[in-house]
């Protein structure tokens, strides 16, 4: 197994995700905008769980909290749970077909949004559920190019 | 791995508790915005390029048509303004007869939205005016249609605006028709607000216009806020559920107005 450096592509992808997240979109479209930081986190944890594990999920979660101006710890909790799910299943899913991975991301986005809705309802914040399926579909579409890029690093690493 | 995850969950819970009940991270967030604003400017490039391409590819005929239409619109507005000036003078005379205090005159400064909060539940925007333009915390912000929100954080060259539809925003208003006072609150929906604690016996109807009442001293009197869209009452509830549609284009307006009140004195530098 070759040891290749992935720090630069990870940082570049995180920066790209932050910029994509900040691109202004109006009103209702904002709810359909994928969480690009979450997708980048899933991609690297899925393919490189030994390098980018729970600690990585926590760091990306803190970045998301600061970016979204949410309560500090809110995204840390959600990203940690999501990272843990990905780590548990990575041995199986890394060998699955792209289509299967897209379905997995679709389901993970739904889980994350339901977790968010649950936490929001605990804090008496209004909960919107209608957008979740659309958001999951859009996130899955964005996953395809992201998966291809990280998969290339994974194959070089192997 | 499970142990690490357990500690991460503990850390997250601790952070949530500390951030919810203490102001310890406030200054840190303030400093962090110095990093996020340049990123917001970068993320605005696609829309700026789109606007530039649009401007440079529009044909002369379309521009001439647009110019003619704007000229007509300007004439109509000037006509309305003359009528308004006459009404303002009459209002001033009547107030003097009643020995009432004079209404404060406001001046405005045009500003542009450079960033929008990526969190759909967090209704905040960043504008390109800051302490250098004498912007101050609590300053009202308008668009062409109505009241948009207020300044919450001021930095050197930019500021953050909390929109009136944000869940944490409440605004004292009055019904234009009869002066009934109430408080309108945000619901995290760009197209809906709610009027709180209105008893079923009061005179309010669908279609009523709401304007800022000036109570609390933060917002000036008389700026349009919204229109009453729906009134309902659930059995057993003491107050009515009143939905209000904001007049300002909160999710679309790109150019906003910062309101300076002339009595603010040292803030007059920014008023234009």
């Amino acid at each position: 197994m070759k040891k290749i450096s992935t720090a630069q592509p990870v940082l570049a992808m995180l920066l790209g995700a932050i910029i994509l997240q900040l691109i202004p979109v109006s009103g209702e479209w904002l709810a359909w905008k994928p969480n690009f930081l979450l997708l980048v986190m899933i991609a690297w944890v899925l393919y490189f769980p030994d390098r980018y594990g729970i600690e990585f999920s926590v760091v990306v979660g803190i970045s998301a909290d600061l970016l979204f101006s949410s309560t500090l710890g809110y995204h840390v909790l959600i990203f940690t749970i999501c990272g843990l799910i990905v780590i548990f299943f990575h041995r199986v899913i890394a060998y699955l077909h792209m289509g299967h991975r897209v379905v997995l991301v679709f389901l993970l986005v739904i889980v994350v949004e339901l977790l968010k809705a649950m936490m929001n309802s605990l804090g008496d914040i209004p909960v919107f559920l209608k957008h979740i399926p659309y958001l999951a579909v859009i996130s899955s579409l964005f996953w395809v190019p992201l998966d291809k890029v990280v998969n290339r690093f994974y194959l070089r690493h192997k | 791995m499970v142990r690490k995850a357990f500690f991460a969950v503990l850390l997250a819970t601790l952070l949530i508790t500390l951030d919810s009940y203490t102001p310890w991270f406030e200054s840190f967030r303030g400093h962090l915005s110095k990093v996020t604003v340049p990123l917001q400017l970068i993320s605005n490039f696609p829309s700026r390029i789109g606007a530039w391409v649009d401007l440079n590819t529009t044909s002369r005929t379309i521009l001439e048509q647009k110019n003619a239409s704007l000229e007509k619109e300007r004439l109509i507005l000037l006509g309305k303004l003359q009528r308004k000036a006459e009404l303002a003078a009459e209002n001033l005379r009547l107030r003097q007869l009643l020995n009432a205090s004079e209404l404060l005159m406001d001046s405005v400064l045009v500003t542009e939205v450079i960033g929008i909060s990526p969190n759909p539940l967090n209704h905040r925007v960043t504008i390109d005016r800051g302490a250098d333009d004498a912007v101050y915390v609590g300053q009202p912000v308008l668009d062409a249609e109505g009241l948009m929100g207020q300044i919450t954080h001021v930095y050197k060259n930019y500021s953050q605006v909390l929109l009136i539809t944000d869940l944490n925003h409440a605004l004292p208003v009055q019904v234009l028709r009869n002066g009934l006072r109430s408080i309108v609150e945000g619901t995290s929906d760009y197209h809906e607000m709610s009027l709180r604690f209105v008893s079923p016996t009061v005179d309010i109807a669908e279609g009523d216009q709401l304007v800022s009442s000036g109570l609390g001293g933060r917002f000036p009197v008389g700026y349009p806020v919204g229109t009453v869209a729906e009134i309902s009452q659930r059995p057993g509830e003491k107050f009515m559920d009143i939905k209000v549609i904001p007049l300002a284009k909160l999710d679309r307006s790109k150019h906003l107005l910062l309101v300076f009140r002339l009595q603010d004195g040292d803030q007059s530098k920014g008023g234009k």
Side-chain angles (χ1 to χ4, degrees):
Chain A
M1 187 178 276
K2 275 194 293 181
K3 187 87 176 170
I4 55 157
S5 170
T6 49
Q8 282 177 348
V10 168
L11 284 176
M13 277 192 182
L14 285 175
L15 190 66
I18 289 170
I19 289 171
L20 281 174
Q21 207 73 64
L22 287 172
I23 287 179
V25 287
S26 62
E28 304 86 27
W29 295 101
L30 201 57
W32 292 14
K33 196 175 179 182
N35 190 330
F36 295 104
L37 279 173
L38 176 76
L39 293 180
V40 170
M41 189 277 285
I42 292 174
W44 287 98
V45 175
L46 176 64
Y47 284 106
F48 297 93
D50 300 331
R51 286 191 208 180
Y52 303 103
I54 295 295
E55 299 91 337
F56 181 66
S57 309
V58 170
V59 171
V60 180
I62 289 176
S63 312
D65 279 329
L66 296 172
L67 185 72
F68 289 106
S69 303
S70 52
T71 309
L72 214 57
Y74 175 86
H75 280 97
V76 175
L77 187 60
I78 289 165
F79 279 36
T80 302
I81 295 169
C82 184
L84 194 65
I85 295 171
V86 175
I87 290 168
F88 267 126
F89 291 101
H90 92 97
R91 282 181 194 282
V92 186
I93 53 189
Y95 297 101
L96 293 178
H97 185 257
M98 164 72 89
H100 296 131
R101 291 198 292 272
V102 168
V103 172
L104 172 86
V105 169
F106 177 85
L107 294 173
L108 274 174
V109 170
I110 288 178
V111 168
V112 164
E113 288 303 311
L114 290 176
L115 270 173
K116 276 187 185 176
M118 200 175 76
M119 287 174 72
N120 287 347
S121 65
L122 287 174
D124 269 350
I125 296 169
V127 173
F128 305 103
L129 298 174
K130 276 183 195 166
H131 70 283
I132 294 179
Y134 304 106
L135 178 65
V137 169
I138 296 168
S139 301
S140 310
L141 293 176
F142 274 96
W143 169 261
V144 177
L146 184 65
D147 183 277
K148 283 191 174 169
V149 173
V150 183
N151 189 38
R152 194 168 290 176
F153 281 103
Y154 176 70
L155 294 175
R156 275 169 62 189
H157 178 75
K158 269 211 312 185
Chain B
M1 192 59 67
V2 177
R3 186 181 288 178
K4 274 185 190 172
F6 176 72
F7 281 116
V9 169
L10 269 186
L11 173 75
T13 316
L14 183 72
L15 285 173
I16 291 172
T17 313
L18 288 177
D19 200 21
S20 303
Y21 297 103
T22 69
W24 295 352
F25 300 115
E26 279 296 311
S27 60
F28 175 61
R29 281 180 194 275
H31 291 302
L32 189 90
S33 68
K34 286 173 189 162
V35 181
T36 54
V37 167
L39 290 173
Q40 279 178 333
L41 288 172
I42 294 169
S43 57
N44 264 337
F45 270 129
S47 63
R48 280 177 187 271
I49 290 169
W52 182 82
V53 169
D54 200 31
L55 186 73
N56 285 281
T57 52
T58 312
S59 73
R60 189 187 168 86
T61 323
I62 292 170
L63 282 175
E64 277 173 355
Q65 281 172 357
K66 209 172 174 180
N67 201 17
S69 145
L70 285 171
E71 187 60 31
K72 274 183 200 165
E73 201 175 312
R74 195 180 76 91
L75 279 172
I76 294 166
L77 288 173
L78 277 175
K80 282 183 181 171
L81 197 65
Q82 283 174 26
R83 176 82 183 125
K84 205 177 167 190
E86 183 195 321
L87 287 171
E90 190 183 338
N91 189 19
L92 188 64
R93 280 196 302 276
L94 291 170
R95 291 183 79 84
Q96 279 167 347
L97 280 173
L98 291 166
N99 281 333
S101 62
E102 283 181 29
L103 278 172
L104 290 165
M105 296 290 284
D106 301 326
S107 62
V108 293
L109 174 67
V110 178
T111 181
E112 191 182 343
V113 175
I114 55 168
I116 298 169
S117 168
N119 186 345
L121 294 175
N122 200 343
H123 290 194
R124 285 167 201 268
V125 294
T126 308
I127 55 169
D128 66 347
R129 303 279 188 178
D132 283 358
D133 300 291
V135 175
Y136 56 95
V137 171
Q139 188 170 14
V141 181
L142 311 170
D143 76 348
E145 315 286 330
L147 208 53
M148 284 275 290
Q150 61 177 297
I151 301 286
T152 50
H153 293 90
V154 180
Y155 305 98
K156 195 172 184 299
N157 297 315
Y158 55 91
S159 312
Q160 265 192 0
V161 181
L162 181 70
L163 301 180
I164 54 172
T165 46
D166 189 277
L167 197 64
N168 297 315
H169 198 281
L171 166 69
V173 290
Q174 62 185 32
V175 176
L176 193 61
R177 181 169 55 86
N178 56 13
L180 172 77
R181 285 191 298 270
S182 183
I183 290 173
V184 71
E185 286 185 348
T187 58
S188 278
D189 183 339
Y190 282 106
H191 306 294
E192 193 181 302
M193 297 189 291
S194 69
L195 212 56
R196 299 296 304 272
F197 310 120
V198 180
S199 153
T201 54
V202 301
D203 177 18
I204 190 163
E206 285 173 15
D208 272 346
Q209 280 253 326
L210 301 177
V211 295
S212 54
S213 69
L215 290 178
R218 181 144 285 196
F219 291 96
V221 190
Y223 282 106
V225 174
T227 311
V228 175
E230 193 183 318
I231 301 174
S232 58
Q233 194 188 4
R234 278 176 286 179
E237 291 286 328
K238 282 183 182 171
F239 302 109
M240 293 192 286
D241 289 330
I242 300 179
K243 287 182 185 172
V244 175
I245 296 174
L247 285 170
K249 301 269 183 293
L250 293 147
D251 58 339
R252 285 175 175 79
S253 289
K254 184 88 178 147
H255 292 95
L256 313 179
L257 299 170
L258 283 159
V259 182
F260 290 87
R261 304 180 80 176
L262 289 186
Q263 73 162 33
D264 291 341
D266 55 343
Q267 270 112 26
S268 61
K269 178 197 158 200
K272 280 167 195 167

